[in-house]
Amino acid sequence: MFLEDCWYVGAWSHEVKNEKIVGVKILNQPVALYRLADGTLRAIADRCPHRFAPLSMGCVEGQSIRCMYHGLKFDSQGNCQEIPGGGPLHAIKPARVYPVTEQDGWIWVWMGLPELADKALVPSAFGLDNPAFYMRSAQLDYAANYMLINDNLCDLSHVDFVHAKTLGWATGGGWSTTNPDISKIDRGIRIQRWFVSQPTSPTNPTPVDTWNAYDFLAPGVFVMESKSYKQGTAAACDFKEPTGEPQTYRVEQQAVTPISENETRYFYATGFDSRMPEKLLEGIFKIVMDAFAEDKTIIEAQQKIIESTPDDMDRSFIPHDRALTRFRRMMEHLKSKQQRYSSDDS
Amino acid sequence: MFLEDCWYVGAWSHEVKNEKIVGVKILNQPVALYRLADGTLRAIADRCPHRFAPLSMGCVEGQSIRCMYHGLKFDSQGNCQEIPGGGPLHAIKPARVYPVTEQDGWIWVWMGLPELADKALVPSAFGLDNPAFYMRSAQLDYAANYMLINDNLCDLSHVDFVHAKTLGWATGGGWSTTNPDISKIDRGIRIQRWFVSQPTSPTNPTPVDTWNAYDFLAPGVFVMESKSYKQGTAAACDFKEPTGEPQTYRVEQQAVTPISENETRYFYATGFDSRMPEKLLEGIFKIVMDAFAEDKTIIEAQQKIIESTPDDMDRSFIPHDRALTRFRRMMEHLKSKQQRYSSDDS
Amino acid sequence: MFLEDCWYVGAWSHEVKNEKIVGVKILNQPVALYRLADGTLRAIADRCPHRFAPLSMGCVEGQSIRCMYHGLKFDSQGNCQEIPGGGPLHAIKPARVYPVTEQDGWIWVWMGLPELADKALVPSAFGLDNPAFYMRSAQLDYAANYMLINDNLCDLSHVDFVHAKTLGWATGGGWSTTNPDISKIDRGIRIQRWFVSQPTSPTNPTPVDTWNAYDFLAPGVFVMESKSYKQGTAAACDFKEPTGEPQTYRVEQQAVTPISENETRYFYATGFDSRMPEKLLEGIFKIVMDAFAEDKTIIEAQQKIIESTPDDMDRSFIPHDRALTRFRRMMEHLKSKQQRYSSDDS
């Protein structure tokens, strides 16, 4: 069972443009994303109520969307407006319409009861369209359950092992030997730590203190900042969150969207603000891409092992599992109290 | 559960020739099709009763077929005639033999009780081998349940949407805005209509009246004729079936054969008689091929959506569904009264 | 249910070398094979008890293996020795360690209770590393249940049909028309026969008598010798096993290892001793490879037919099935009396 009472990233804002209807699958539900001529976003079940052809193969007509199998036209409430060849419109079940919004470069779809959709619950990210940042983005699909990816993102101790030659090399490591502060926030967890007196970068040995903090929010949104300061700042702040201007300021924003039980779409963007020269973006993006390929390799291998040994799923716990254990509990709690749109047990 | 009491197209006549044994799957049953030296067709279960190797990997020997795994030989009743290394022949279960016949360029296999096989039930098509027609044929496999293809063929209103740029362009459209006459015939439905005062073709604006009529017969055989007449003929006939000689006479013959629950083989041939010049065949065939690729795209998408949302299969009905609803009911009726060869519930 | 009380070939000895950890799957269980610096072999469950990442993606450190997802290190008993970030070691379930040994060029893994692992039960093969023989080896994966391959190897009458143009051509055939002597041996069957007065080879018509004998041992190990003698030897031996020095001496060693219910790994080596010139090896290996491709084709076809007709699995028996019937019974007997490591029903 998925958490429905949630905004899920369905696509990048720039993917849905002009008259293109983008068909995606979220929580095993086919969803068609499109815009009206004025740019207004719409999300509708990507299955015509008539015979279940995908509306994403249809076309936008004014405020409406037309199925291009038999030509039925639906208004923005999902109600049938036109049946070629006639017949009573009320005989056609409405197509489900999903609340949809866009923020920070992403299109967010509410998968629960529409009346519960609250835009205040959209996690706040940095934004691809924030002019203060140089950002670059991509996405990839995992053949794995989304919670394995969430686990991965809740516990960055793996950087020292999975990413020893990529992110570990670039950041100087120490992710598994330092213990971040973990706290509960609304619909998520906050993870913060200082890396003290590490080289600025692989090519610059000048030591700096780096503040690394991220929120991980339901259903799987990762928003991280990484700020470097001159050596001694961590101690001067009593190892709390710094308030001064950093020397460099890097950001990551990522979102994990379940396609189905064992397929997941992973959206990510990386970048920094103008304290660093734009020309560094390509190199950093390359490292991040390589690192995500490493994650994909090990997580998909983990998924396959889980599938081949379903009878032995008692795992062991280590202290670094604290954050992911909390996040899993929080997800279970949110699921336990949700009112579901559908009444089936899946 | 499939309808077994029926002739299914297993292959084109020209596919099974000389000593080649063709292995196909019909209603999830492996069937081997082959000819004796004199051309006589045979259809036998494509699984040796010994250890289930495919007989289609064997060879024809006189009136018999030999399995090339361990060399058992079976006569034309499916009885074992020879066991290399000896042993009692009666210990070998007979291989199931299917009634088989050929007509109109197709090989037809009876999947029900052999004693019920009645050649009069073979649907009558136009025939690839009819010298009066220029015909061209092909086939394709769908990753979809056969009834989705039958639905598609029972309701040609989709031509205006799915095939707007191919068949719709070539025929002038109007498939969704005209209502054909639908009548019940033996083991099928008949669908007839006039297209009045439409251009002869995309390149010839001279208006003509066109009589379009097809039978759709169990299990999924589509036989259509399309005859053009000078303008005014439809009215002169009182919009009934015309009797005079047409200006042009086009035909389509198609057959839908379930391979398994979610795989279907689709055989088709298109053409016309000598009232049209042979050189037009290639262009028309190209349009038909493009159109069938369009059908395959939307029907396989429809199948995927159905598979991903199995709990919500209540569809809505429109007037153009009349023919397919009748056809589905007729198929259910035929199934309900059939005696099945096998007694399992699948 | 698989037979667990058995040594299975997991890999070739030469595959596991230096610091490379080889991940395989045996009886649906992921197993990591690796060597310590001194060459000692180890086999450990290829799933970290922490979060089920494959240890084969980890690295060997001294006597230990480290998971490269979160860095947990396990000693040679499978006990956790180190958790990056700390925490009690006893909270980590031990990884299952498998008894492992190597013999005759193969790495053997015991899949049952470790205390029952008896190296005397490792089937004796000829050995790739036996200096008296010129040998060449390869392997291939089948999309088929392992018992179909075992059946194939227990009954070589199929050589006359499946391999008529390869092995049958090379050996002169007669595999289906002669009846070998079949006897029970410990954990297997022994199959022996004389081929009398057959040409020495396709290019040498001089008749010889050839003694062909093989053991087929649980779980699926095939060890065959083929010795040629001057004409008359078979009769002189009273058709019993010969004791004199043969003119030529060929050997085959093969092993069948279930990966999962419907996937099987097949290891094989072929060769001869120095009575034949080494330069013949390539040609003979080519014939054997072609023959195994023929087996793979028909056995995978047989598997597909079995999968598509699961309700009709009553097979018929022929005299040549004697050996495989005995072998199947023996496997069932071994399974019935085994104590299983796992208690699930799979």
Side-chain angles (χ1 to χ4, degrees), chain C residues 27-64:
Chain C
L27 314 189
N28 231 352
Q29 298 174 37
V31 177
L33 302 170
Y34 62 101
R35 291 186 194 274
L36 307 183
D38 66 359
T40 309
L41 262 180
R42 297 268 187 245
I44 194 168
D46 194 17
R47 57 200 294 276
C48 180
H50 172 223
R51 272 191 248 156
F52 312 131
L55 293 175
S56 59
M57 292 176 71
C59 56
V60 180
E61 292 188 11
Q63 300 282 316
S64 306

mmCIF file of all heavy atoms in Angstrom, chain C residues 27-64:
data_model
loop_
_atom_site.group_PDB
_atom_site.id
_atom_site.type_symbol
_atom_site.label_atom_id
_atom_site.label_comp_id
_atom_site.label_asym_id
_atom_site.label_seq_id
_atom_site.Cartn_x
_atom_site.Cartn_y
_atom_site.Cartn_z
ATOM 1 N N LEU C 27 20.460 -22.991 -6.366
ATOM 2 C CA LEU C 27 19.180 -23.329 -5.707
ATOM 3 C C LEU C 27 18.458 -22.064 -5.251
ATOM 4 O O LEU C 27 17.906 -22.005 -4.150
ATOM 5 C CB LEU C 27 19.397 -24.250 -4.497
ATOM 6 C CG LEU C 27 20.319 -25.447 -4.628
ATOM 7 C CD1 LEU C 27 20.191 -26.327 -3.377
ATOM 8 C CD2 LEU C 27 20.057 -26.259 -5.872
ATOM 9 N N ASN C 28 18.526 -21.055 -6.092
ATOM 10 C CA ASN C 28 17.857 -19.779 -5.795
ATOM 11 C C ASN C 28 18.530 -18.991 -4.674
ATOM 12 O O ASN C 28 17.994 -17.957 -4.252
ATOM 13 C CB ASN C 28 16.388 -20.008 -5.447
ATOM 14 C CG ASN C 28 15.491 -19.110 -6.266
ATOM 15 O OD1 ASN C 28 15.975 -18.228 -6.968
ATOM 16 N ND2 ASN C 28 14.210 -19.318 -6.167
ATOM 17 N N GLN C 29 19.638 -19.436 -4.192
ATOM 18 C CA GLN C 29 20.332 -18.717 -3.123
ATOM 19 C C GLN C 29 21.548 -17.980 -3.685
ATOM 20 O O GLN C 29 22.392 -18.590 -4.327
ATOM 21 C CB GLN C 29 20.794 -19.686 -2.036
ATOM 22 C CG GLN C 29 19.652 -20.420 -1.353
ATOM 23 C CD GLN C 29 20.145 -21.468 -0.381
ATOM 24 O OE1 GLN C 29 21.140 -21.295 0.302
ATOM 25 N NE2 GLN C 29 19.448 -22.591 -0.324
ATOM 26 N N PRO C 30 21.645 -16.683 -3.420
ATOM 27 C CA PRO C 30 22.833 -15.962 -3.867
ATOM 28 C C PRO C 30 24.041 -16.360 -3.018
ATOM 29 O O PRO C 30 23.962 -16.356 -1.787
ATOM 30 C CB PRO C 30 22.458 -14.490 -3.655
ATOM 31 C CG PRO C 30 21.294 -14.480 -2.740
ATOM 32 C CD PRO C 30 20.655 -15.838 -2.763
ATOM 33 N N VAL C 31 25.121 -16.699 -3.681
ATOM 34 C CA VAL C 31 26.340 -17.139 -2.994
ATOM 35 C C VAL C 31 27.517 -16.349 -3.554
ATOM 36 O O VAL C 31 27.634 -16.192 -4.771
ATOM 37 C CB VAL C 31 26.567 -18.655 -3.210
ATOM 38 C CG1 VAL C 31 27.878 -19.105 -2.560
ATOM 39 C CG2 VAL C 31 25.397 -19.472 -2.680
ATOM 40 N N ALA C 32 28.363 -15.858 -2.659
ATOM 41 C CA ALA C 32 29.584 -15.156 -3.075
ATOM 42 C C ALA C 32 30.770 -16.086 -2.859
ATOM 43 O O ALA C 32 30.955 -16.628 -1.775
ATOM 44 C CB ALA C 32 29.756 -13.880 -2.261
ATOM 45 N N LEU C 33 31.565 -16.267 -3.910
ATOM 46 C CA LEU C 33 32.754 -17.123 -3.850
ATOM 47 C C LEU C 33 33.990 -16.233 -3.925
ATOM 48 O O LEU C 33 34.060 -15.337 -4.768
ATOM 49 C CB LEU C 33 32.755 -18.097 -5.035
ATOM 50 C CG LEU C 33 31.531 -19.014 -5.151
ATOM 51 C CD1 LEU C 33 31.551 -19.744 -6.496
ATOM 52 C CD2 LEU C 33 31.501 -20.005 -4.002
ATOM 53 N N TYR C 34 34.942 -16.482 -3.052
ATOM 54 C CA TYR C 34 36.158 -15.648 -3.083
ATOM 55 C C TYR C 34 37.295 -16.417 -2.444
ATOM 56 O O TYR C 34 37.104 -17.471 -1.840
ATOM 57 C CB TYR C 34 35.914 -14.313 -2.378
ATOM 58 C CG TYR C 34 35.571 -14.405 -0.911
ATOM 59 C CD1 TYR C 34 36.534 -14.150 0.076
ATOM 60 C CD2 TYR C 34 34.284 -14.726 -0.495
ATOM 61 C CE1 TYR C 34 36.220 -14.228 1.427
ATOM 62 C CE2 TYR C 34 33.965 -14.807 0.847
ATOM 63 C CZ TYR C 34 34.931 -14.563 1.804
ATOM 64 O OH TYR C 34 34.618 -14.657 3.132
ATOM 65 N N ARG C 35 38.487 -15.863 -2.590
ATOM 66 C CA ARG C 35 39.666 -16.483 -2.006
ATOM 67 C C ARG C 35 40.355 -15.490 -1.070
ATOM 68 O O ARG C 35 40.398 -14.288 -1.341
ATOM 69 C CB ARG C 35 40.686 -16.856 -3.090
ATOM 70 C CG ARG C 35 40.233 -17.980 -3.981
ATOM 71 C CD ARG C 35 41.368 -18.383 -4.929
ATOM 72 N NE ARG C 35 40.862 -19.222 -6.001
ATOM 73 C CZ ARG C 35 40.718 -20.541 -5.911
ATOM 74 N NH1 ARG C 35 41.046 -21.173 -4.797
ATOM 75 N NH2 ARG C 35 40.255 -21.241 -6.934
ATOM 76 N N LEU C 36 40.943 -16.043 -0.013
ATOM 77 C CA LEU C 36 41.835 -15.241 0.823
ATOM 78 C C LEU C 36 43.168 -15.091 0.080
ATOM 79 O O LEU C 36 43.387 -15.720 -0.964
ATOM 80 C CB LEU C 36 42.052 -15.931 2.171
ATOM 81 C CG LEU C 36 40.761 -16.313 2.907
ATOM 82 C CD1 LEU C 36 41.097 -16.930 4.267
ATOM 83 C CD2 LEU C 36 39.869 -15.093 3.069
ATOM 84 N N ALA C 37 44.043 -14.274 0.629
ATOM 85 C CA ALA C 37 45.326 -14.014 -0.034
ATOM 86 C C ALA C 37 46.102 -15.305 -0.283
ATOM 87 O O ALA C 37 46.816 -15.444 -1.285
ATOM 88 C CB ALA C 37 46.155 -13.039 0.804
ATOM 89 N N ASP C 38 45.948 -16.271 0.625
ATOM 90 C CA ASP C 38 46.712 -17.517 0.456
ATOM 91 C C ASP C 38 46.008 -18.512 -0.468
ATOM 92 O O ASP C 38 46.442 -19.655 -0.601
ATOM 93 C CB ASP C 38 46.981 -18.160 1.825
ATOM 94 C CG ASP C 38 45.698 -18.638 2.503
ATOM 95 O OD1 ASP C 38 44.601 -18.457 1.915
ATOM 96 O OD2 ASP C 38 45.771 -19.193 3.610
ATOM 97 N N GLY C 39 44.914 -18.083 -1.078
ATOM 98 C CA GLY C 39 44.231 -18.954 -2.028
ATOM 99 C C GLY C 39 43.083 -19.734 -1.432
ATOM 100 O O GLY C 39 42.293 -20.350 -2.172
ATOM 101 N N THR C 40 42.952 -19.711 -0.100
ATOM 102 C CA THR C 40 41.859 -20.448 0.542
ATOM 103 C C THR C 40 40.510 -19.968 0.007
ATOM 104 O O THR C 40 40.252 -18.765 -0.054
ATOM 105 C CB THR C 40 41.879 -20.201 2.073
ATOM 106 O OG1 THR C 40 43.192 -20.452 2.543
ATOM 107 C CG2 THR C 40 40.867 -21.083 2.774
ATOM 108 N N LEU C 41 39.679 -20.897 -0.331
ATOM 109 C CA LEU C 41 38.353 -20.571 -0.862
ATOM 110 C C LEU C 41 37.358 -20.295 0.253
ATOM 111 O O LEU C 41 37.416 -20.938 1.316
ATOM 112 C CB LEU C 41 37.803 -21.759 -1.643
ATOM 113 C CG LEU C 41 37.945 -21.767 -3.139
ATOM 114 C CD1 LEU C 41 37.324 -23.050 -3.671
ATOM 115 C CD2 LEU C 41 37.239 -20.567 -3.754
ATOM 116 N N ARG C 42 36.440 -19.405 -0.014
ATOM 117 C CA ARG C 42 35.330 -19.168 0.905
ATOM 118 C C ARG C 42 34.038 -19.041 0.090
ATOM 119 O O ARG C 42 34.070 -18.552 -1.045
ATOM 120 C CB ARG C 42 35.526 -17.849 1.673
ATOM 121 C CG ARG C 42 36.737 -17.811 2.575
ATOM 122 C CD ARG C 42 36.364 -18.269 3.974
ATOM 123 N NE ARG C 42 37.468 -18.087 4.888
ATOM 124 C CZ ARG C 42 38.116 -19.094 5.490
ATOM 125 N NH1 ARG C 42 37.757 -20.351 5.268
ATOM 126 N NH2 ARG C 42 39.096 -18.844 6.334
ATOM 127 N N ALA C 43 32.944 -19.447 0.727
ATOM 128 C CA ALA C 43 31.620 -19.238 0.122
ATOM 129 C C ALA C 43 30.716 -18.675 1.205
ATOM 130 O O ALA C 43 30.604 -19.251 2.298
ATOM 131 C CB ALA C 43 31.066 -20.550 -0.413
ATOM 132 N N ILE C 44 30.117 -17.559 0.925
ATOM 133 C CA ILE C 44 29.264 -16.886 1.921
ATOM 134 C C ILE C 44 27.988 -16.439 1.213
ATOM 135 O O ILE C 44 27.999 -16.197 0.000
ATOM 136 C CB ILE C 44 30.034 -15.691 2.551
ATOM 137 C CG1 ILE C 44 29.329 -15.182 3.814
ATOM 138 C CG2 ILE C 44 30.233 -14.562 1.544
ATOM 139 C CD1 ILE C 44 30.191 -14.201 4.633
ATOM 140 N N ALA C 45 26.902 -16.383 1.970
ATOM 141 C CA ALA C 45 25.650 -15.905 1.380
ATOM 142 C C ALA C 45 25.902 -14.536 0.758
ATOM 143 O O ALA C 45 26.465 -13.654 1.407
ATOM 144 C CB ALA C 45 24.559 -15.815 2.439
ATOM 145 N N ASP C 46 25.474 -14.364 -0.478
ATOM 146 C CA ASP C 46 25.760 -13.115 -1.195
ATOM 147 C C ASP C 46 24.708 -12.064 -0.873
ATOM 148 O O ASP C 46 24.105 -11.463 -1.771
ATOM 149 C CB ASP C 46 25.825 -13.407 -2.698
ATOM 150 C CG ASP C 46 26.443 -12.248 -3.470
ATOM 151 O OD1 ASP C 46 27.084 -11.399 -2.839
ATOM 152 O OD2 ASP C 46 26.285 -12.205 -4.707
ATOM 153 N N ARG C 47 24.463 -11.901 0.399
ATOM 154 C CA ARG C 47 23.507 -10.881 0.859
ATOM 155 C C ARG C 47 23.936 -10.460 2.253
ATOM 156 O O ARG C 47 23.949 -11.239 3.193
ATOM 157 C CB ARG C 47 22.068 -11.410 0.854
ATOM 158 C CG ARG C 47 21.848 -12.651 1.684
ATOM 159 C CD ARG C 47 20.593 -13.418 1.303
ATOM 160 N NE ARG C 47 19.360 -12.721 1.569
ATOM 161 C CZ ARG C 47 18.736 -12.698 2.752
ATOM 162 N NH1 ARG C 47 19.264 -13.279 3.809
ATOM 163 N NH2 ARG C 47 17.588 -12.087 2.888
ATOM 164 N N CYS C 48 24.253 -9.222 2.383
ATOM 165 C CA CYS C 48 24.645 -8.696 3.678
ATOM 166 C C CYS C 48 23.449 -8.778 4.628
ATOM 167 O O CYS C 48 22.330 -8.403 4.254
ATOM 168 C CB CYS C 48 25.098 -7.254 3.507
ATOM 169 S SG CYS C 48 25.599 -6.482 5.052
ATOM 170 N N PRO C 49 23.641 -9.268 5.853
ATOM 171 C CA PRO C 49 22.512 -9.379 6.789
ATOM 172 C C PRO C 49 21.933 -8.015 7.179
ATOM 173 O O PRO C 49 20.826 -7.952 7.709
ATOM 174 C CB PRO C 49 23.129 -10.055 8.021
ATOM 175 C CG PRO C 49 24.413 -10.648 7.550
ATOM 176 C CD PRO C 49 24.893 -9.795 6.422
ATOM 177 N N HIS C 50 22.671 -6.963 6.892
ATOM 178 C CA HIS C 50 22.206 -5.629 7.261
ATOM 179 C C HIS C 50 21.018 -5.228 6.381
ATOM 180 O O HIS C 50 19.887 -5.194 6.857
ATOM 181 C CB HIS C 50 23.385 -4.640 7.138
ATOM 182 C CG HIS C 50 23.016 -3.209 7.307
ATOM 183 N ND1 HIS C 50 23.521 -2.222 6.490
ATOM 184 C CD2 HIS C 50 22.201 -2.604 8.187
ATOM 185 C CE1 HIS C 50 23.014 -1.059 6.883
ATOM 186 N NE2 HIS C 50 22.223 -1.263 7.903
ATOM 187 N N ARG C 51 21.295 -4.988 5.093
ATOM 188 C CA ARG C 51 20.181 -4.596 4.224
ATOM 189 C C ARG C 51 20.161 -5.335 2.894
ATOM 190 O O ARG C 51 19.607 -4.844 1.904
ATOM 191 C CB ARG C 51 20.205 -3.088 3.984
ATOM 192 C CG ARG C 51 19.434 -2.332 5.062
ATOM 193 C CD ARG C 51 19.221 -0.886 4.680
ATOM 194 N NE ARG C 51 19.971 0.003 5.545
ATOM 195 C CZ ARG C 51 20.350 1.220 5.222
ATOM 196 N NH1 ARG C 51 20.042 1.707 4.028
ATOM 197 N NH2 ARG C 51 21.041 1.959 6.065
ATOM 198 N N PHE C 52 20.842 -6.495 2.866
ATOM 199 C CA PHE C 52 20.720 -7.420 1.731
ATOM 200 C C PHE C 52 21.431 -6.964 0.457
ATOM 201 O O PHE C 52 21.092 -7.412 -0.639
ATOM 202 C CB PHE C 52 19.250 -7.752 1.442
ATOM 203 C CG PHE C 52 18.478 -8.129 2.665
ATOM 204 C CD1 PHE C 52 17.242 -7.564 2.953
ATOM 205 C CD2 PHE C 52 18.998 -9.047 3.568
ATOM 206 C CE1 PHE C 52 16.529 -7.903 4.086
ATOM 207 C CE2 PHE C 52 18.287 -9.400 4.721
ATOM 208 C CZ PHE C 52 17.050 -8.818 4.979
ATOM 209 N N ALA C 53 22.396 -6.091 0.591
ATOM 210 C CA ALA C 53 23.227 -5.792 -0.577
ATOM 211 C C ALA C 53 24.106 -7.010 -0.847
ATOM 212 O O ALA C 53 24.412 -7.794 0.051
ATOM 213 C CB ALA C 53 24.081 -4.560 -0.309
ATOM 214 N N PRO C 54 24.523 -7.197 -2.097
ATOM 215 C CA PRO C 54 25.360 -8.360 -2.410
ATOM 216 C C PRO C 54 26.790 -8.169 -1.895
ATOM 217 O O PRO C 54 27.427 -7.152 -2.194
ATOM 218 C CB PRO C 54 25.339 -8.412 -3.939
ATOM 219 C CG PRO C 54 24.926 -7.063 -4.389
ATOM 220 C CD PRO C 54 24.120 -6.436 -3.296
ATOM 221 N N LEU C 55 27.283 -9.146 -1.156
ATOM 222 C CA LEU C 55 28.674 -9.086 -0.703
ATOM 223 C C LEU C 55 29.632 -9.251 -1.880
ATOM 224 O O LEU C 55 30.795 -8.848 -1.790
ATOM 225 C CB LEU C 55 28.929 -10.175 0.351
ATOM 226 C CG LEU C 55 28.176 -9.949 1.671
ATOM 227 C CD1 LEU C 55 28.395 -11.138 2.617
ATOM 228 C CD2 LEU C 55 28.630 -8.650 2.350
ATOM 229 N N SER C 56 29.146 -9.805 -2.985
ATOM 230 C CA SER C 56 30.022 -9.944 -4.158
ATOM 231 C C SER C 56 30.377 -8.581 -4.755
ATOM 232 O O SER C 56 31.286 -8.479 -5.556
ATOM 233 C CB SER C 56 29.374 -10.831 -5.224
ATOM 234 O OG SER C 56 28.135 -10.288 -5.635
ATOM 235 N N MET C 57 29.678 -7.527 -4.329
ATOM 236 C CA MET C 57 30.077 -6.182 -4.728
ATOM 237 C C MET C 57 31.012 -5.569 -3.681
ATOM 238 O O MET C 57 31.346 -4.385 -3.768
ATOM 239 C CB MET C 57 28.845 -5.306 -4.958
ATOM 240 C CG MET C 57 28.039 -5.763 -6.176
ATOM 241 S SD MET C 57 26.498 -4.832 -6.419
ATOM 242 C CE MET C 57 27.168 -3.238 -6.959
ATOM 243 N N GLY C 58 31.369 -6.361 -2.693
ATOM 244 C CA GLY C 58 32.257 -5.881 -1.633
ATOM 245 C C GLY C 58 33.719 -6.160 -1.943
ATOM 246 O O GLY C 58 34.108 -6.256 -3.107
ATOM 247 N N CYS C 59 34.518 -6.277 -0.873
ATOM 248 C CA CYS C 59 35.926 -6.568 -1.112
ATOM 249 C C CYS C 59 36.476 -7.457 0.002
ATOM 250 O O CYS C 59 35.952 -7.500 1.114
ATOM 251 C CB CYS C 59 36.731 -5.282 -1.244
ATOM 252 S SG CYS C 59 36.577 -4.201 0.156
ATOM 253 N N VAL C 60 37.523 -8.197 -0.351
ATOM 254 C CA VAL C 60 38.175 -9.091 0.599
ATOM 255 C C VAL C 60 39.213 -8.276 1.371
ATOM 256 O O VAL C 60 39.972 -7.517 0.788
ATOM 257 C CB VAL C 60 38.861 -10.255 -0.147
ATOM 258 C CG1 VAL C 60 39.548 -11.199 0.833
ATOM 259 C CG2 VAL C 60 37.848 -11.007 -1.003
ATOM 260 N N GLU C 61 39.199 -8.434 2.684
ATOM 261 C CA GLU C 61 40.197 -7.762 3.520
ATOM 262 C C GLU C 61 40.764 -8.801 4.476
ATOM 263 O O GLU C 61 40.118 -9.171 5.456
ATOM 264 C CB GLU C 61 39.560 -6.618 4.315
ATOM 265 C CG GLU C 61 39.098 -5.466 3.441
ATOM 266 C CD GLU C 61 38.641 -4.249 4.262
ATOM 267 O OE1 GLU C 61 38.869 -4.233 5.488
ATOM 268 O OE2 GLU C 61 38.044 -3.342 3.647
ATOM 269 N N GLY C 62 41.971 -9.262 4.187
ATOM 270 C CA GLY C 62 42.580 -10.288 5.031
ATOM 271 C C GLY C 62 41.721 -11.536 5.047
ATOM 272 O O GLY C 62 41.401 -12.091 4.001
ATOM 273 N N GLN C 63 41.325 -11.977 6.243
ATOM 274 C CA GLN C 63 40.484 -13.168 6.369
ATOM 275 C C GLN C 63 38.996 -12.817 6.195
ATOM 276 O O GLN C 63 38.144 -13.691 6.328
ATOM 277 C CB GLN C 63 40.661 -13.773 7.786
ATOM 278 C CG GLN C 63 42.077 -14.204 8.106
ATOM 279 C CD GLN C 63 42.425 -15.529 7.467
ATOM 280 O OE1 GLN C 63 41.629 -16.455 7.505
ATOM 281 N NE2 GLN C 63 43.584 -15.621 6.840
ATOM 282 N N SER C 64 38.719 -11.552 5.942
ATOM 283 C CA SER C 64 37.330 -11.089 6.026
ATOM 284 C C SER C 64 36.823 -10.578 4.686
ATOM 285 O O SER C 64 37.571 -10.409 3.724
ATOM 286 C CB SER C 64 37.238 -9.965 7.061
ATOM 287 O OG SER C 64 37.781 -10.399 8.286
#
